[in-house]
Amino acid sequence: MKVARICFALLALAATSVASAREADTVSLQIQNDEPGAQISRQLFGQFAEHLGRGIYEGIWVGPDSSIPNTRGIRNDVVAALKELRVPNVRWPGGCFADEYHWRNGIGPIEQRPATLNPNWGGVIEPNTFGTHEFMDFVRQIGAEAYLSVNVGSGTPQEAADWLEYLTTDQPTALAKQRAANGHPEPFGISFLGLGNENWGCGGSMTPEHYVNLLKIFARYSRNYNAKHPMLKIAVGPDTADTSYTEAVMQAWKGRNWSWDIDGISLHFYTVGGWPPKYLATGFGEKEYAALLAETLRMDGLIRTHGAIMDKYDPEKKIALVVDEWGAWLAPTEGSKEGFLEQQNSQRDAIIAALNINIFARHAERVRMANIAQMVNVLQAMILTDQEKILLTPTYHVFRMYVPFQDATFLPIKLEAGEYVYGETSLPRLDAIAAKDKNDKMWLSITNLDPNRPVQVEVPALGAKRVRGEVLSAPRIDSVNTFASPKVVTPQPFNATAAKGKIIVKLPPHSIAVVAFEK
Ligand code: AHR
């Protein structure tokens, strides 16, 4: 009897401490709105669409004869969803695919285009039905700018030069006439041009010196003839922590002559935690959750490392660091085709997206463009499709909630939120950024990394009467949207009124809030 009473008392004590651990404590955050920083370029919210798996075919392109509603072959539901994100730019056609892509296969009457192979991604047939004109139509439909990558791995400088002439000249050259015959008399505007892709890896395993020699040639001859539409050139830069390309490309740039130039170098870093990708997209536990968030936060250190090398050669920050491949790369969905890189997308991935965007924003002076990998049906996608069905992933919702940060001015914040600790992994409990938009409206995004503890964040109202926005939370860290239940993870409205000059933003465990300060 006595033993039973003691046990009951212990149970009651345990229950109390669990309850108090889950009560929201209050943390204070200050926005330093009198110390504006750099502009958070909208190009940081760029996306990547490669000829890979069901990314282009089915995900974007269904063809004009499809029963899936489409405009000139491009599916309407995907376009409508992407328009909401105000996607600033789309990188195409790869990826590894770009360094084996021959653009001439993708122009002219569709029925005459050759079938080729896609050896990188499942060895499937590439029908070339989605080519230059279809891509340019797609970016126009979603209101984005074009970021093309030319083939440096297996192509020639002449092939790249021809593509640029075909795309951009308004002179009546043979290539311009061919473009007109293919339906586009006016020159296209190409905003960004990638000079190769991962030439340290799938793009030819080149030494930095070899790549730099090619870079100068491709940078020279890949000319933009459309004076009304400037084009920035982006060289291949580092793979994760390897600094050899950063050093070589920046050193070459510093010593450049009149004949060539670049505007950016790329960085590729995936949240993967080792190859082959082992982290599960669903059904994972807190240990894996904490480990993967720790992995994603490496992005900050990588930007610092490569940024320091860039500063050495380019203290004025003329060259942008372009993180044109980032995101979670997880174990593929069971039963999906090998090489198609299909994975579900959970609330954890939404947090991964928010943390990376926050890191980019904090480095906005140097990081002026980024592209999540990838857009539809591949890796950390915005959208998943199954034939005519479509769903928006938790990552999509983050990109939609962050739209007000596009081109806004970064505002520093002070936040001491403590830590979230799991075993030997210690992470910041909260992460946040603030910015002021063109109308002087202040925006705040807060992410609660802690999967167990809710939190109340107390913020000086700075003259605002209320905050209004959305919170993205989910029942579990591995909650996902499915075709059967597409709204499990969906933003909910959030409103709070200022009292005594303070506003309280309440965040459930593992959630993201984006709010505007309203006068
Ligand atoms: O995004 C998938 C692949 O990852 C890209 O094709 C390549 O550039 C990178 O290794």
Side-chain angles (χ1 to χ4, degrees):
M1 189 64 184
K2 201 169 171 194
V3 172
R5 221 177 292 141
I6 292 171
C7 283
F8 180 76
L10 284 176
L11 276 177
L13 188 67
T16 320
S17 59
V18 168
S20 61
R22 280 159 197 245
E23 265 162 31
D25 53 338
T26 303
V27 162
S28 77
L29 180 155
Q30 279 114 40
I31 302 175
Q32 296 168 282
N33 64 336
D34 52 350
E35 291 176 35
Q39 188 182 55
I40 302 168
S41 171
R42 70 196 169 90
Q43 304 299 347
L44 291 176
F45 299 84
Q47 311 232 351
F48 175 31
E50 178 167 14
H51 287 239
L52 193 176
R54 296 184 303 120
I56 299 285
Y57 299 111
E58 186 189 316
I60 292 170
W61 175 262
V62 287
D65 301 329
S66 171
S67 57
I68 298 173
N70 67 84
T71 303
R72 295 180 292 281
I74 295 163
R75 56 192 294 171
N76 294 345
D77 49 2
V78 167
V79 167
L82 292 172
K83 274 166 100 170
E84 296 288 309
L85 302 185
R86 305 224 194 123
V87 178
N89 75 81
V90 184
R91 180 171 182 252
W92 176 85
C96 298
F97 182 84
D99 265 325
E100 294 189 52
Y101 183 60
H102 299 290
W103 67 272
R104 284 189 168 89
N105 292 336
I107 56 165
I110 281 186
E111 57 290 352
Q112 288 170 23
R113 295 189 196 172
T116 53
L117 285 174
N118 190 340
N120 283 292
W121 306 120
V124 295
I125 294 274
E126 165 57 54
N128 285 298
T129 42
F130 190 88
T132 299
H133 290 258
E134 291 75 22
F135 173 70
M136 294 308 293
D137 189 15
F138 169 59
V139 289
R140 199 192 55 77
Q141 287 191 36
I142 66 168
E145 294 173 67
Y147 175 10
L148 298 184
S149 288
V150 296
N151 179 346
V152 171
S154 68
T156 62
Q158 187 60 54
E159 184 184 15
D162 288 349
W163 197 14
L164 269 293
E165 183 188 318
Y166 178 89
L167 286 158
T168 64
T169 187
D170 65 355
Q171 307 259 35
T173 66
L175 284 167
K177 285 182 187 164
Q178 201 180 358
R179 183 190 68 225
N182 288 334
H184 209 278
E186 293 301 312
F188 290 109
I190 307 300
S191 301
F192 308 100
L193 192 74
L195 301 168
N197 169 73
E198 296 194 355
N199 296 97
W200 33 260
C202 66
S205 267
M206 298 174 192
T207 61
E209 296 70 33
H210 184 69
Y211 174 71
V212 162
N213 288 336
L214 286 178
L215 169 66
K216 293 176 186 171
I217 300 169
F218 276 81
R220 168 80 181 139
Y221 298 119
S222 303
R223 292 186 171 99
N224 172 30
Y225 295 99
N226 186 345
K228 289 190 206 132
H229 197 115
M231 182 182 85
L232 304 182
K233 292 179 184 167
I234 297 157
V236 171
D239 168 21
T240 312
D242 185 336
T243 54
S244 58
Y245 264 61
T246 324
E247 279 282 358
V249 174
M250 290 306 297
Q251 193 177 43
W253 175 80
K254 174 95 176 154
R256 73 199 179 285
N257 62 23
W258 59 270
S259 71
W260 72 281
D261 206 350
I262 53 169
D263 305 280
I265 65 167
S266 78
L267 161 67
H268 289 185
F269 170 57
Y270 284 96
T271 300
V272 60
W275 304 97
K278 61 174 187 292
Y279 284 95
L280 299 178
T282 55
F284 52 84
E286 190 174 339
K287 182 171 173 225
E288 292 75 27
Y289 169 83
L292 211 59
L293 294 197
E295 174 73 5
T296 219
L297 291 174
R298 284 180 62 206
M299 180 67 88
D300 184 68
L302 293 172
I303 292 173
R304 285 176 199 277
T305 301
H306 297 295
I309 296 170
M310 295 175 80
D311 284 348
K312 203 165 67 177
Y313 298 103
D314 172 30
E316 292 171 318
K317 295 189 171 30
K318 288 186 179 155
I319 301 291
L321 185 59
V322 177
V323 190
D324 55 14
E325 285 189 31
W326 68 273
W329 191 324
L330 308 170
T333 304
E334 242 180 68
S336 62
K337 274 199 193 151
E338 205 183 323
F340 274 30
L341 311 189
E342 293 191 15
Q343 62 191 46
Q344 246 296 4
N345 192 299
S346 67
Q347 176 69 2
R348 175 201 55 196
D349 302 328
I351 291 175
I352 285 175
L355 294 177
N356 279 282
I357 297 168
N358 293 355
I359 292 170
F360 301 151
R362 283 193 278 268
H363 291 284
E365 277 189 5
R366 180 65 87 181
V367 182
R368 300 197 285 271
M369 185 159 155
N371 298 73
I372 188 167
Q374 299 195 5
M375 204 172 210
V376 190
N377 290 333
V378 177
L379 298 178
Q380 192 174 347
M382 304 290 125
I383 297 172
L384 302 180
T385 67
D386 178 12
Q387 304 289 338
E388 75 292 348
K389 287 178 264 174
I390 169 175
L391 69 80
L392 307 178
T393 65
T395 299
Y396 173 95
H397 294 305
V398 171
F399 270 69
R400 221 251 315 115
M401 288 161 69
Y402 268 77
V403 164
F405 285 89
Q406 295 195 10
D407 281 343
T409 304
F410 182 81
L411 298 174
I413 56 173
K414 275 195 188 151
L415 168 67
E416 276 179 29
E419 291 180 322
Y420 153 58
V421 180
Y422 185 90
E424 288 181 358
T425 309
S426 160
L427 300 167
R429 180 183 175 191
L430 298 179
D431 191 52
I433 58 163
K436 199 187 316 191
D437 70 17
K438 284 191 184 119
N439 304 316
D440 259 7
K441 188 186 265 194
M442 248 173 30
W443 291 85
L444 174 65
S445 168
I446 313 174
T447 299
N448 182 4
L449 285 74
D450 194 315
N452 305 309
R453 284 182 299 169
V455 65
Q456 303 201 124
V457 184
E458 187 182 75
V459 193
L462 300 169
K465 288 207 180 76
R466 67 182 70 82
V467 298
R468 223 193 283 269
E470 287 173 303
V471 177
L472 187 69
S473 64
R476 301 159 51 101
I477 45 180
D478 66 341
S479 295
V480 296
N481 292 334
T482 62
F483 295 106
S485 306
K487 299 228 155 110
V488 174
V489 186
T490 310
Q492 299 302 321
F494 177 84
N495 294 301
T497 317
K500 297 189 188 149
K502 302 245 163 95
I503 283 173
I504 305 274
V505 182
K506 293 183 182 170
L507 284 112
H510 54 83
S511 69
I512 302 149
V514 174
V515 294
F517 285 64
E518 298 187 344
K519 302 256 163 174

